[in-house]
Protein backbone atom coordinates (compact mmCIF):
# COMPACT_ATOMS: atom_id res chain seq x y z
CA UNK A 1 0.00 0.00 0.00
CA UNK A 2 2.78 2.41 0.90
CA UNK A 3 5.66 3.52 -1.27
CA UNK A 4 8.79 1.34 -1.22
CA UNK A 5 10.67 4.32 0.13
CA UNK A 6 8.90 3.90 3.47
CA UNK A 7 10.76 0.60 3.94
CA UNK A 8 14.02 2.48 3.99
CA UNK A 9 13.27 4.30 7.20
CA UNK A 10 11.95 3.61 10.65
CA UNK A 11 11.09 6.28 13.20
CA UNK A 12 14.33 7.54 14.66
CA UNK A 13 15.67 5.39 17.50
CA UNK A 14 16.14 8.42 19.71
CA UNK A 15 12.52 9.50 19.18
CA UNK A 16 11.44 5.95 20.07
CA UNK A 17 13.48 6.04 23.28
CA UNK A 18 11.87 9.36 24.23
CA UNK A 19 8.45 7.90 23.49
CA UNK A 20 9.14 4.77 25.62
CA UNK A 21 10.11 7.02 28.53
CA UNK A 22 6.95 9.10 28.07
CA UNK A 23 4.75 5.97 27.90
CA UNK A 24 6.25 4.58 31.11
CA UNK A 25 5.75 7.96 32.79
CA UNK A 26 2.14 8.16 31.56
CA UNK A 27 1.57 4.71 33.11
CA UNK A 28 2.28 6.30 36.48
CA UNK A 29 5.94 5.25 36.78
CA UNK A 30 8.43 7.88 37.93
CA UNK A 31 10.94 8.08 35.12
CA UNK A 32 14.13 10.08 35.04
CA UNK A 33 14.48 10.88 31.38
CA UNK A 34 18.09 10.99 30.21
CA UNK A 35 17.25 10.33 26.56
CA UNK A 36 16.91 13.79 25.23
CA UNK A 37 19.11 15.43 22.64
CA UNK A 38 18.56 18.85 24.11
CA UNK A 39 19.40 21.01 27.09
CA UNK A 40 16.57 21.68 29.48
CA UNK A 41 17.02 25.40 30.00
CA UNK A 42 15.14 28.68 29.95
CA UNK A 43 15.11 30.58 26.71
CA UNK A 44 17.75 33.23 26.00
CA UNK A 45 16.18 36.62 26.90
CA UNK A 46 16.99 38.15 23.48
CA UNK A 47 15.24 35.25 21.73
CA UNK A 48 12.13 35.73 23.85
CA UNK A 49 12.12 39.53 23.40
CA UNK A 50 12.91 39.29 19.70
CA UNK A 51 10.05 36.85 19.13
CA UNK A 52 7.55 38.96 21.06
CA UNK A 53 8.64 42.10 19.21
CA UNK A 54 8.26 40.30 15.86
CA UNK A 55 4.75 39.17 16.79
CA UNK A 56 3.83 42.69 17.88
CA UNK A 57 5.19 44.12 14.64
CA UNK A 58 2.94 41.70 12.74
CA UNK A 59 5.66 39.63 11.05
CA UNK A 60 3.21 37.13 9.64
CA UNK A 61 4.18 36.61 6.06
CA UNK A 62 6.43 34.34 4.04
CA UNK A 63 10.09 35.23 4.01
CA UNK A 64 12.59 34.34 1.32
CA UNK A 65 12.51 30.54 0.93
CA UNK A 66 15.96 30.11 2.45
CA UNK A 67 15.46 32.72 5.14
CA UNK A 68 15.65 36.45 5.70
CA UNK A 69 18.64 38.05 4.00
CA UNK A 70 19.55 39.74 7.27
CA UNK A 71 19.78 36.41 9.06
CA UNK A 72 21.74 34.81 6.23
CA UNK A 73 24.09 37.77 6.29
CA UNK A 74 24.58 37.47 10.06
CA UNK A 75 25.25 33.74 9.79
CA UNK A 76 27.71 34.38 6.94
CA UNK A 77 29.47 36.99 9.06
CA UNK A 78 29.78 34.65 12.05
CA UNK A 79 31.01 31.84 9.82
CA UNK A 80 33.58 34.14 8.22
CA UNK A 81 35.07 34.95 11.58
CA UNK A 82 35.03 31.30 12.73
CA UNK A 83 36.55 29.89 9.55
CA UNK A 84 38.73 32.89 8.59
CA UNK A 85 37.29 32.58 5.06
CA UNK A 86 34.83 35.10 3.57
CA UNK A 87 31.21 33.91 3.32
CA UNK A 88 28.33 35.79 1.68
CA UNK A 89 24.59 35.55 2.30
CA UNK A 90 24.26 33.70 -1.04
CA UNK A 91 26.25 30.86 0.42
CA UNK A 92 23.91 30.31 3.38
CA UNK A 93 20.44 28.77 3.54
CA UNK A 94 18.36 28.95 6.72
CA UNK A 95 16.47 25.72 7.40
CA UNK A 96 14.01 24.18 9.85
CA UNK A 97 16.82 22.94 12.07
CA UNK A 98 20.05 21.20 11.13
CA UNK A 99 18.01 18.14 10.21
CA UNK A 100 16.54 19.90 7.20
CA UNK A 101 19.94 21.31 6.29
CA UNK A 102 21.35 17.76 6.18
CA UNK A 103 18.38 16.55 4.18
CA UNK A 104 18.82 19.39 1.68
CA UNK A 105 22.49 18.46 1.34
CA UNK A 106 21.69 14.77 0.73
CA UNK A 107 18.98 15.60 -1.80
CA UNK A 108 21.02 18.06 -3.82
CA UNK A 109 24.35 16.20 -3.78
CA UNK A 110 23.50 12.52 -4.20
CA UNK A 111 22.60 10.55 -7.29
CA UNK A 112 20.99 7.12 -6.97
CA UNK A 113 23.60 4.57 -5.91
CA UNK A 114 26.12 7.14 -4.62
CA UNK A 115 27.94 5.95 -1.53
CA UNK A 116 28.34 8.12 1.54
CA UNK A 117 30.83 7.31 4.27
CA UNK A 118 29.35 7.54 7.74
CA UNK A 119 31.60 6.92 10.76
CA UNK A 120 29.92 4.60 13.22
CA UNK A 121 28.44 4.80 15.85
CA UNK A 122 26.47 7.46 13.98
CA UNK A 123 23.63 9.85 14.62
CA UNK A 124 20.65 7.87 13.50
CA UNK A 125 19.39 10.37 10.90
CA UNK A 126 22.56 10.37 8.75
CA UNK A 127 22.05 6.97 7.08
CA UNK A 128 18.26 7.42 6.94
CA UNK A 129 18.61 10.60 4.89
CA UNK A 130 21.25 9.10 2.60
CA UNK A 131 18.86 6.22 1.87
CA UNK A 132 15.95 8.58 1.26
CA UNK A 133 18.06 10.48 -1.26
CA UNK A 134 18.75 7.21 -3.11
CA UNK A 135 22.29 6.83 -1.80
CA UNK A 136 24.00 4.06 0.13
CA UNK A 137 25.53 4.64 3.57
CA UNK A 138 28.89 2.93 4.07
CA UNK A 139 29.84 2.64 7.72
CA UNK A 140 33.37 2.99 9.07
CA UNK A 141 33.65 1.71 12.61
CA UNK A 142 35.40 3.98 15.09
CA UNK A 143 35.34 1.83 18.25
CA UNK A 144 39.00 0.88 18.16
CA UNK A 145 40.22 4.42 17.73
CA UNK A 146 38.38 6.21 20.51
CA UNK A 147 35.34 6.97 18.34
CA UNK A 148 37.33 9.10 15.91
CA UNK A 149 37.69 7.02 12.73
CA UNK A 150 41.18 6.31 11.45
CA UNK A 151 41.89 8.09 8.19
CA UNK A 152 43.21 4.80 6.74
CA UNK A 153 39.88 3.13 7.59
CA UNK A 154 38.00 5.87 5.74
CA UNK A 155 40.40 5.57 2.79
CA UNK A 156 39.79 1.81 2.68
CA UNK A 157 36.02 2.36 2.47
CA UNK A 158 36.24 4.71 -0.55
CA UNK A 159 35.14 3.20 -3.88
CA UNK A 160 34.50 4.76 -7.29
CA UNK A 161 30.88 5.24 -6.14
CA UNK A 162 31.80 7.30 -3.06
CA UNK A 163 30.46 10.82 -3.24
CA UNK A 164 30.65 12.22 0.29
CA UNK A 165 31.84 11.77 3.86
CA UNK A 166 29.69 12.90 6.78
CA UNK A 167 31.65 14.24 9.72
CA UNK A 168 30.00 15.15 12.99
CA UNK A 169 32.19 16.76 15.60
CA UNK A 170 31.65 17.06 18.55
CA UNK A 171 29.91 13.78 18.00
CA UNK A 172 26.45 12.58 18.79
CA UNK A 173 26.27 9.95 20.27
CA UNK A 174 29.89 9.32 21.27
CA UNK A 175 30.97 12.69 22.68
CA UNK A 176 34.24 12.42 20.72
CA UNK A 177 35.87 15.56 19.31
CA UNK A 178 37.85 15.14 16.08
CA UNK A 179 41.49 16.22 16.29
CA UNK A 180 43.14 18.46 13.70
CA UNK A 181 45.25 15.74 12.18
CA UNK A 182 42.23 13.51 11.52
CA UNK A 183 40.43 16.46 9.91
CA UNK A 184 43.50 17.23 7.82
CA UNK A 185 43.68 13.56 6.73
CA UNK A 186 40.01 13.50 5.80
CA UNK A 187 40.44 16.74 3.84
CA UNK A 188 43.38 15.27 1.95
CA UNK A 189 41.32 12.20 1.06
CA UNK A 190 38.37 14.32 -0.03
CA UNK A 191 40.57 16.36 -2.35
CA UNK A 192 42.45 13.38 -3.75
CA UNK A 193 39.25 11.41 -4.39
CA UNK A 194 36.99 14.33 -5.36
CA UNK A 195 34.50 13.97 -2.49
CA UNK A 196 32.14 16.27 -0.64
CA UNK A 197 32.44 16.63 3.12
CA UNK A 198 29.24 17.29 5.02
CA UNK A 199 30.46 18.87 8.20
CA UNK A 200 27.90 18.80 11.01
CA UNK A 201 29.06 20.96 13.88
CA UNK A 202 25.77 21.31 15.78
CA UNK A 203 27.55 20.75 19.10
CA UNK A 204 30.51 23.06 18.38
CA UNK A 205 29.60 25.33 21.29
CA UNK A 206 30.21 22.54 23.79
CA UNK A 207 33.73 21.22 24.18
CA UNK A 208 35.62 20.69 27.42
CA UNK A 209 39.33 21.42 27.95
CA UNK A 210 41.74 20.19 26.79
CA UNK A 211 39.49 19.39 23.83
CA UNK A 212 38.68 22.09 21.30
CA UNK A 213 36.45 22.21 18.28
CA UNK A 214 38.56 22.53 15.13
CA UNK A 215 36.84 23.74 12.01
CA UNK A 216 37.73 21.64 8.98
CA UNK A 217 37.89 24.83 6.90
CA UNK A 218 40.49 26.32 9.22
CA UNK A 219 42.50 23.14 9.13
CA UNK A 220 42.14 22.87 5.32
CA UNK A 221 40.85 26.11 3.72
CA UNK A 222 41.27 24.51 0.29
CA UNK A 223 38.19 22.40 1.19
CA UNK A 224 35.99 25.49 0.79
CA UNK A 225 34.42 24.34 -2.49
CA UNK A 226 33.68 20.80 -1.40
CA UNK A 227 32.44 21.32 2.17
CA UNK A 228 28.86 21.79 3.31
CA UNK A 229 28.82 23.26 6.80
CA UNK A 230 25.73 22.31 8.81
CA UNK A 231 24.84 23.94 12.09
CA UNK A 232 21.83 25.13 14.09
CA UNK A 233 20.80 27.35 16.96
CA UNK A 234 18.92 24.36 18.40
CA UNK A 235 21.58 23.05 20.76
CA UNK A 236 23.78 26.10 21.23
CA UNK A 237 20.86 28.25 22.42
CA UNK A 238 18.77 25.40 23.90
CA UNK A 239 15.93 26.17 21.50
CA UNK A 240 15.39 22.84 19.74
CA UNK A 241 11.67 23.37 19.32
CA UNK A 242 12.11 26.63 17.40
CA UNK A 243 13.64 24.90 14.38
CA UNK A 244 16.30 27.24 13.04
CA UNK A 245 19.42 25.77 11.47
CA UNK A 246 21.44 26.35 8.34
CA UNK A 247 23.72 24.97 5.69
CA UNK A 248 26.56 26.90 4.14
CA UNK A 249 28.43 25.92 1.02
CA UNK A 250 29.12 26.85 -2.59
CA UNK A 251 26.44 29.17 -4.04
CA UNK A 252 25.34 26.51 -6.57
CA UNK A 253 24.53 24.10 -3.73
CA UNK A 254 22.60 26.78 -1.85
CA UNK A 255 20.68 27.66 -5.03
CA UNK A 256 19.67 24.01 -5.43
CA UNK A 257 18.69 23.81 -1.75
CA UNK A 258 16.57 26.92 -2.27
CA UNK A 259 14.72 25.27 -5.15
CA UNK A 260 14.17 22.17 -3.01
CA UNK A 261 12.88 24.16 -0.04
CA UNK A 262 10.62 26.16 -2.34
CA UNK A 263 8.75 22.93 -3.13
CA UNK A 264 8.87 21.36 0.31
CA UNK A 265 8.75 23.57 3.41
CA UNK A 266 9.15 27.12 2.06
CA UNK A 267 10.75 29.41 4.59
CA UNK A 268 11.61 28.47 8.17
CA UNK A 269 9.28 29.99 10.76
CA UNK A 270 9.31 33.77 10.44
CA UNK A 271 9.06 34.59 14.15
CA UNK A 272 11.87 32.20 15.02
CA UNK A 273 14.05 33.83 12.35
CA UNK A 274 13.44 37.31 13.78
CA UNK A 275 14.11 36.01 17.29
CA UNK A 276 17.51 34.66 16.24
CA UNK A 277 18.36 37.93 14.49
CA UNK A 278 17.52 39.81 17.70
CA UNK A 279 19.76 37.49 19.67
CA UNK A 280 22.65 37.87 17.25
CA UNK A 281 22.27 41.66 17.35
CA UNK A 282 21.69 42.20 21.05
CA UNK A 283 23.24 39.50 23.15
CA UNK A 284 26.69 39.67 24.70
CA UNK A 285 27.31 35.95 25.17
CA UNK A 286 26.19 35.84 28.82
CA UNK A 287 23.50 33.27 28.05
CA UNK A 288 25.88 31.02 26.11
CA UNK A 289 28.50 31.19 28.86
CA UNK A 290 25.93 30.22 31.50
CA UNK A 291 24.72 27.29 29.37
CA UNK A 292 28.28 26.09 28.90
CA UNK A 293 29.03 26.45 32.62
CA UNK A 294 25.93 24.45 33.44
CA UNK A 295 27.10 21.62 31.16
CA UNK A 296 30.59 21.74 32.66
CA UNK A 297 29.05 21.16 36.10
CA UNK A 298 26.72 18.42 34.83
CA UNK A 299 29.57 16.67 33.05
CA UNK A 300 31.88 16.81 36.08
CA UNK A 301 29.18 15.46 38.38
CA UNK A 302 28.24 12.75 35.90
CA UNK A 303 31.81 11.61 35.35
CA UNK A 304 32.30 11.42 39.11
CA UNK A 305 29.27 9.17 39.52
CA UNK A 306 30.11 7.01 36.51
CA UNK A 307 33.56 6.34 37.98
CA UNK A 308 31.92 3.80 40.26
CA UNK A 309 30.91 1.60 37.35
CA UNK A 310 32.61 -1.79 37.82
CA UNK A 311 32.93 -3.15 34.32
CA UNK A 312 32.31 -0.19 32.09
CA UNK A 313 34.99 2.37 31.28
CA UNK A 314 34.45 6.09 31.81
CA UNK A 315 32.96 7.76 28.73
CA UNK A 316 35.02 10.17 26.62
CA UNK A 317 32.63 13.13 26.95
CA UNK A 318 35.01 15.48 25.13
CA UNK A 319 32.20 17.54 23.65
CA UNK A 320 28.43 17.82 23.28
CA UNK A 321 26.30 16.66 26.22
CA UNK A 322 26.24 12.88 26.01
CA UNK A 323 27.93 10.18 28.03
CA UNK A 324 28.43 7.23 25.70
CA UNK A 325 29.11 3.99 27.52
CA UNK A 326 30.64 1.00 25.81
CA UNK A 327 28.84 -1.89 27.49
CA UNK A 328 30.73 -4.65 25.67
CA UNK A 329 32.81 -5.77 28.69
CA UNK A 330 29.65 -6.02 30.78
CA UNK A 331 27.50 -7.71 28.16
CA UNK A 332 30.08 -10.28 27.15
CA UNK A 333 30.83 -11.33 30.74
CA UNK A 334 27.72 -12.88 32.33
CA UNK A 335 26.51 -16.47 32.11
CA UNK A 336 23.12 -16.30 33.84
CA UNK A 337 19.81 -16.31 31.94
CA UNK A 338 19.00 -12.83 33.30
CA UNK A 339 22.24 -11.33 32.06
CA UNK A 340 21.53 -8.72 29.35
CA UNK A 341 22.64 -9.67 25.85
CA UNK A 342 22.66 -6.25 24.26
CA UNK A 343 22.06 -2.58 24.92
CA UNK A 344 18.32 -2.98 24.25
CA UNK A 345 18.12 -5.35 27.24
CA UNK A 346 20.04 -2.86 29.35
CA UNK A 347 17.73 -0.02 28.33
CA UNK A 348 14.68 -2.15 29.25
CA UNK A 349 16.17 -2.95 32.68
CA UNK A 350 17.01 0.70 33.24
CA UNK A 351 13.49 1.75 32.33
CA UNK A 352 12.14 -0.79 34.82
CA UNK A 353 14.39 0.87 37.41
CA UNK A 354 13.04 4.32 36.46
CA UNK A 355 15.80 5.67 34.19
CA UNK A 356 15.46 6.21 30.45
CA UNK A 357 18.52 6.20 28.16
CA UNK A 358 19.06 5.47 24.47
CA UNK A 359 20.26 2.09 23.25
CA UNK A 360 23.25 2.07 20.91
CA UNK A 361 21.18 0.08 18.42
CA UNK A 362 19.79 3.49 17.40
CA UNK A 363 23.36 4.39 16.42
CA UNK A 364 24.36 1.13 14.76
CA UNK A 365 26.03 -0.14 17.92
CA UNK A 366 24.33 -2.96 19.88
CA UNK A 367 26.74 -2.48 22.81
CA UNK A 368 26.51 1.27 23.30
CA UNK A 369 24.39 3.32 25.69
CA UNK A 370 23.79 7.06 25.35
CA UNK A 371 22.95 9.10 28.43
CA UNK A 372 22.22 12.80 28.02
CA UNK A 373 23.45 15.30 30.58
CA UNK A 374 21.32 18.09 29.17
CA UNK A 375 18.68 17.10 31.75
CA UNK A 376 18.27 19.15 34.95
CA UNK A 377 21.18 18.45 37.30
CA UNK A 378 19.09 16.98 40.12
CA UNK A 379 17.49 14.49 37.69
CA UNK A 380 20.87 13.67 36.26
CA UNK A 381 22.38 12.88 39.63
CA UNK A 382 19.67 10.47 40.78
CA UNK A 383 19.33 8.96 37.29
CA UNK A 384 23.04 8.19 37.06
CA UNK A 385 23.15 6.74 40.56
CA UNK A 386 20.33 4.37 39.63
CA UNK A 387 22.08 3.51 36.39
CA UNK A 388 25.28 2.60 38.26
CA UNK A 389 23.30 0.40 40.67
CA UNK A 390 21.59 -1.45 37.81
CA UNK A 391 24.79 -2.00 35.81
CA UNK A 392 26.90 -2.99 38.83
CA UNK A 393 24.32 -5.58 39.88
CA UNK A 394 25.22 -7.67 36.79
CA UNK A 395 28.34 -9.73 37.35
N1 LIG B 1 22.96 16.82 13.78
C1 LIG B 1 23.21 16.15 14.90
C2 LIG B 1 24.52 15.47 15.06
C3 LIG B 1 22.24 16.07 15.93
O1 LIG B 1 22.50 15.40 17.04
C4 LIG B 1 21.01 16.71 15.73
C5 LIG B 1 19.94 16.62 16.74
O2 LIG B 1 19.94 15.82 17.62
C6 LIG B 1 20.80 17.41 14.54
C7 LIG B 1 21.78 17.44 13.57
C8 LIG B 1 19.49 18.09 14.25
O3 LIG B 1 19.39 19.28 14.92
P1 LIG B 1 18.09 20.20 14.73
O4 LIG B 1 17.26 19.98 15.95
O5 LIG B 1 18.63 21.58 14.61
O6 LIG B 1 17.40 19.77 13.51
Amino acid sequence: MLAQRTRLIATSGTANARAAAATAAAGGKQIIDLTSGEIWADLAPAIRDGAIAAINRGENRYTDTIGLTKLRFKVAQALSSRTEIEWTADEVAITAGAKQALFDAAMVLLNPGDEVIVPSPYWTTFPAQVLLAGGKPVFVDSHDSGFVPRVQAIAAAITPATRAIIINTPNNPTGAVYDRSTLAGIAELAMARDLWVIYDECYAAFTYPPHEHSHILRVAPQMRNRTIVVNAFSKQLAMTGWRIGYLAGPAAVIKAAKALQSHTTSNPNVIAQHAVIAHLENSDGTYERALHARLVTARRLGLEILQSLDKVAAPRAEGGFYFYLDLAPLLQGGQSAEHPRDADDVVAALLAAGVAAVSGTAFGDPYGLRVSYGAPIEHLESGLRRLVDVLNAWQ
Side-chain angles (χ1 to χ4, degrees):
M1 192 172 81
L2 300 176
Q4 287 190 354
R5 173 181 319 114
T6 58
R7 295 195 203 136
L8 298 174
I9 41 162
T11 307
S12 113
T14 43
N16 283 341
R18 257 199 323 273
T23 308
K29 199 165 170 56
Q30 278 237 320
I31 299 291
I32 299 172
D33 185 355
L34 305 181
T35 62
S36 68
E38 55 197 344
I39 307 167
W40 301 27
D42 289 339
L43 201 54
I47 294 285
R48 183 190 308 273
D49 295 347
I52 292 169
I55 292 169
N56 289 337
R57 284 198 308 273
E59 303 280 5
N60 305 323
R61 303 183 41 212
Y62 293 127
T63 70
D64 187 328
T65 301
I66 51 169
L68 292 157
T69 308
K70 193 170 186 183
L71 181 52
R72 286 190 282 131
F73 175 75
K74 292 251 161 234
V75 167
Q77 240 183 352
L79 203 54
S80 303
S81 90
R82 292 203 306 116
T83 59
E84 296 180 341
I85 297 174
E86 257 337 279
W87 292 82
T88 65
D90 289 345
E91 296 167 305
V92 173
I94 309 298
T95 53
K99 201 173 262 190
Q100 185 182 22
L102 290 161
F103 188 61
D104 283 0
M107 291 297 279
V108 307
L109 295 181
L110 300 182
N111 284 312
D114 281 351
E115 293 178 2
V116 178
I117 293 181
V118 182
S120 136
Y122 48 77
W123 181 51
T124 180
T125 292
F126 293 141
Q129 292 188 341
V130 168
L131 287 166
L132 280 174
K136 182 179 165 214
V138 173
F139 301 112
V140 171
D141 188 55
S142 65
H143 271 93
D144 292 346
S145 43
F147 296 124
V148 175
R150 287 199 178 86
V151 175
Q152 303 93 295
I154 295 179
I158 295 175
T159 74
T162 309
R163 179 104 169 122
I165 306 173
I166 300 181
I167 300 300
N168 169 219
T169 180
N171 189 269
N172 175 13
T174 67
V177 171
Y178 282 44
D179 53 277
R180 291 177 67 87
S181 79
T182 301
L183 292 173
I186 292 171
E188 230 170 84
L189 277 181
M191 285 181 297
R193 306 296 295 267
D194 192 18
L195 306 176
W196 288 99
V197 166
I198 298 170
Y199 190 68
D200 177 337
E201 51 168 356
C202 284
Y203 296 89
F206 308 117
T207 55
Y208 310 101
H211 305 284
E212 276 182 3
H213 177 64
S214 308
H215 206 293
I216 192 165
L217 291 177
R218 272 180 87 161
V219 174
Q222 62 279 32
M223 286 288 291
R224 170 77 157 90
N225 291 329
R226 55 177 72 251
T227 301
I228 310 295
V229 177
V230 171
N231 205 334
F233 297 94
S234 308
K235 317 279 176 182
Q236 71 189 60
L237 292 176
M239 52 184 292
T240 36
W242 289 64
R243 312 307 303 136
I244 298 292
Y246 59 88
L247 71 160
V253 173
I254 300 305
K255 196 167 159 213
K258 178 173 181 166
L260 178 66
Q261 281 188 201
S262 78
H263 296 296
T264 51
T265 55
S266 293
N267 62 272
N269 180 287
V270 60
I271 300 299
Q273 289 190 64
H274 281 289
V276 170
I277 291 174
H279 181 83
L280 295 177
E281 281 179 339
N282 301 321
S283 70
D284 61 1
T286 306
Y287 179 86
E288 286 90 332
R289 281 192 293 278
L291 207 57
H292 192 272
R294 138 103 185 266
L295 288 182
V296 167
T297 306
R299 174 179 176 273
R300 191 185 313 120
L301 172 79
L303 287 176
E304 245 170 62
I305 297 172
L306 292 173
Q307 260 183 2
S308 8
L309 283 168
D310 288 338
K311 289 196 170 166
V312 177
R316 291 180 76 87
E318 297 167 350
F321 43 84
Y322 304 111
F323 296 126
Y324 193 70
L325 301 176
D326 181 4
L327 303 177
L330 173 76
L331 293 167
Q332 284 154 6
Q335 305 298 327
S336 75
E338 303 82 55
H339 199 82
R341 286 175 316 271
D342 60 18
D344 287 351
D345 289 350
V346 173
V347 163
L350 287 172
L351 204 54
V355 193
V358 183
S359 164
T361 50
F363 315 115
D365 175 11
Y367 300 134
L369 184 73
R370 191 191 82 175
V371 182
S372 167
Y373 53 97
I377 294 211
E378 57 290 3
H379 292 203
L380 179 69
E381 176 162 12
S382 41
L384 289 180
R385 290 198 193 285
R386 274 190 219 178
L387 178 142
V388 168
D389 289 345
V390 171
L391 266 54
N392 282 353
W394 284 310
Q395 287 308 319

